[in-house]
Amino acid sequence: MASRLKRALKKKQSRTQCSLHPSWPKQIQLEVANSCNQDCLFCFINTMKRSKKRMDLEFGRRIMTEAYEEGSRVISFAAGAEPLMHPNLDAFIRIAKQELNYDYVFLTTNGMVTQKKLSRWDQFIEAGLESVKISINAGDRETYKKVHRRDHFDQVIASIKHLSKLKKKYDFFLGVSSVSLPQNEESITHLEPLIGHLVDEVLVVPADNQSGQMIEYDTFISENCKLPFTRIYVTAEGYLRMCCGDMENFLAVEDLNQMSLKEAFYSERTTEFRRRHLEKNLEGTLCYRCLNSVQDPIEPLNPDIADRWSHSIEIISKSA
């Protein structure tokens, strides 16, 4: 199942170039909710100043339809926040898979579901979800509490066990990922023996600077970022955004409540931002912070969208 996603993306991305007017992205990601029920040491989301919001289902249907009609075939309901915070997540999945017939439907989640609501996983899989990756950043309860700052370890393990049982009936990918920190390096070595036999993959990655918002972690994904050219990210408010990791919409370019997805993806403002990427002229943007791990002043790409926040926002370390 994991290779299915790779094949689907490779087929399209081989034709997608980093240009001012790239071909239509194969993958779209919807931020169905912009909040989270965890407070991880390495994550910026719970210090954001955006109002908490959930995506309207009919708006989501419109965007998914427009993206599919233009050629998107892979869809994720994770774009930086926690998708399980939306009470109708199963309806989004059902539209994507059963109504629109997307080739591949996946999500990344912290997996926090209470014992009484474990049946939500059944709803997601039955609706058409084909891949679940659960983020669990410790191999024991006490370390989990220190890193996630929530006492949800047992509930998340219960989710993994429940999903593993569902795999006997349904064909879907189940993975676990962990972010490595000094606080959990020893603990995460216990994850593989604990749940490795229940899942298809256990992946450990180092903490990064959260798109320039957590610069005490000086690791970033790539100095040649392709996201503005090869992905579509839509926020809970309905904005086209250039990066899934931007928690304050500083990289939001257009309001999709006012225009079509295609108009926004090829708009003058979006094209100009791609030009800045190609020319490596990103000073004053969140991308510059991400690529250089610096705390320089930044400005929003579209002040009409981000005008509630200071243009020289100070990013405060949560782990200090």
Side-chain angles (χ1 to χ4, degrees):
M1 292 296 291
S3 60
R4 185 189 305 175
L5 173 59
K6 293 178 181 177
R7 288 196 302 269
L9 290 176
K10 184 177 181 180
K11 181 177 179 182
K12 179 71 177 184
Q13 288 176 351
S14 63
R15 304 193 299 269
T16 302
Q17 298 178 349
C18 292
S19 66
L20 292 180
H21 305 285
S23 56
W24 191 262
K26 183 73 172 181
Q27 181 171 316
I28 178 172
Q29 295 184 218
L30 300 188
E31 181 190 59
V32 292
N34 68 355
S35 56
C36 187
N37 52 12
Q38 306 287 297
D39 190 22
C40 297
L41 288 173
F42 55 86
C43 185
F44 180 71
I45 189 168
N46 284 333
T47 63
M48 74 177 189
K49 296 178 175 61
R50 288 165 65 197
S51 298
K52 289 181 173 58
K53 188 172 177 62
R54 296 166 177 164
M55 183 177 287
D56 175 75
L57 181 62
E58 289 309 308
F59 171 84
R61 185 195 303 272
R62 192 202 102 200
I63 295 301
M64 286 188 277
T65 301
E66 291 181 13
Y68 188 87
E69 289 175 348
E70 293 298 329
S72 297
R73 290 296 181 270
V74 175
I75 187 166
S76 169
F77 297 102
E82 175 49 54
L84 268 63
M85 298 296 284
H86 201 300
N88 297 320
L89 177 58
D90 60 312
F92 283 87
I93 296 169
R94 190 171 296 107
I95 291 168
K97 193 63 186 179
Q98 299 184 21
E99 293 186 20
L100 296 172
N101 198 30
Y102 271 83
D103 291 348
Y104 198 75
V105 182
F106 72 102
L107 63 81
T108 301
T109 169
N110 61 45
M112 170 49 197
V113 173
T114 63
Q115 186 70 32
K116 292 181 179 180
K117 294 185 177 181
L118 282 174
S119 61
R120 288 193 77 190
W121 294 118
D122 302 60
Q123 295 171 0
F124 300 154
I125 301 302
E126 290 168 1
L129 187 64
E130 296 168 280
S131 175
V132 185
K133 181 168 285 187
I134 293 181
S135 300
I136 178 169
N137 304 295
D140 65 90
R141 182 180 177 186
E142 290 307 311
T143 306
Y144 184 97
K145 287 193 291 185
K146 292 176 183 177
V147 175
H148 287 253
R149 294 192 278 205
R150 297 289 187 271
D151 188 7
H152 294 158
F153 182 78
D154 292 341
Q155 291 96 319
V156 176
I157 295 298
S159 284
I160 294 171
K161 290 180 177 178
H162 186 81
L163 283 163
S164 184
K165 290 179 181 178
L166 287 177
K167 281 177 64 62
K168 298 176 181 179
K169 181 178 179 181
Y170 300 97
D171 179 24
F172 66 95
F173 177 83
L174 176 59
V176 166
S177 65
S178 294
V179 174
S180 177
L181 305 163
Q183 296 91 333
N184 69 358
E185 284 180 338
E186 193 277 332
S187 177
I188 58 177
T189 63
H190 302 302
L191 268 178
E192 182 71 43
L194 180 66
I195 48 86
H197 62 291
L198 301 174
V199 302
D200 298 304
E201 176 185 69
V202 177
L203 178 68
V204 178
V205 297
D208 61 43
N209 69 23
Q210 289 271 301
S211 299
Q213 296 159 125
M214 299 288 286
I215 61 173
E216 61 269 35
Y217 304 113
D218 60 2
T219 303
F220 56 88
I221 296 174
S222 172
E223 63 182 16
N224 296 308
C225 181
K226 297 182 180 180
L227 298 184
F229 307 90
T230 62
R231 294 285 191 277
I232 293 173
Y233 300 106
V234 180
T235 75
E237 299 92 342
Y239 304 148
L240 175 65
R241 192 171 65 196
M242 295 289 94
C243 177
C244 65
D246 170 22
M247 290 294 102
E248 297 286 18
N249 286 339
F250 277 94
L251 298 177
V253 283
E254 302 291 359
D255 186 350
L256 296 172
N257 298 288
Q258 306 298 323
M259 64 178 69
S260 72
L261 182 58
K262 185 175 183 178
E263 288 173 325
F265 187 75
Y266 292 116
S267 75
E268 182 177 342
R269 181 182 286 109
T270 307
T271 300
E272 175 58 26
F273 183 63
R274 292 194 187 106
R275 183 190 305 277
R276 294 181 67 178
H277 255 274
L278 291 171
E279 296 176 353
K280 300 188 184 302
N281 177 26
L282 294 168
E283 289 85 351
T285 71
L286 190 62
C287 294
Y288 187 81
R289 281 189 167 187
C290 176
L291 295 173
N292 296 278
S293 289
V294 295
Q295 199 164 338
D296 291 6
I298 56 177
E299 295 186 356
L301 299 182
N302 187 340
D304 293 334
I305 289 176
D307 62 1
R308 284 176 290 173
W309 302 289
S310 165
H311 288 194
S312 59
I313 183 172
E314 291 298 323
I315 306 298
I316 302 173
S317 168
K318 294 175 61 180
S319 60

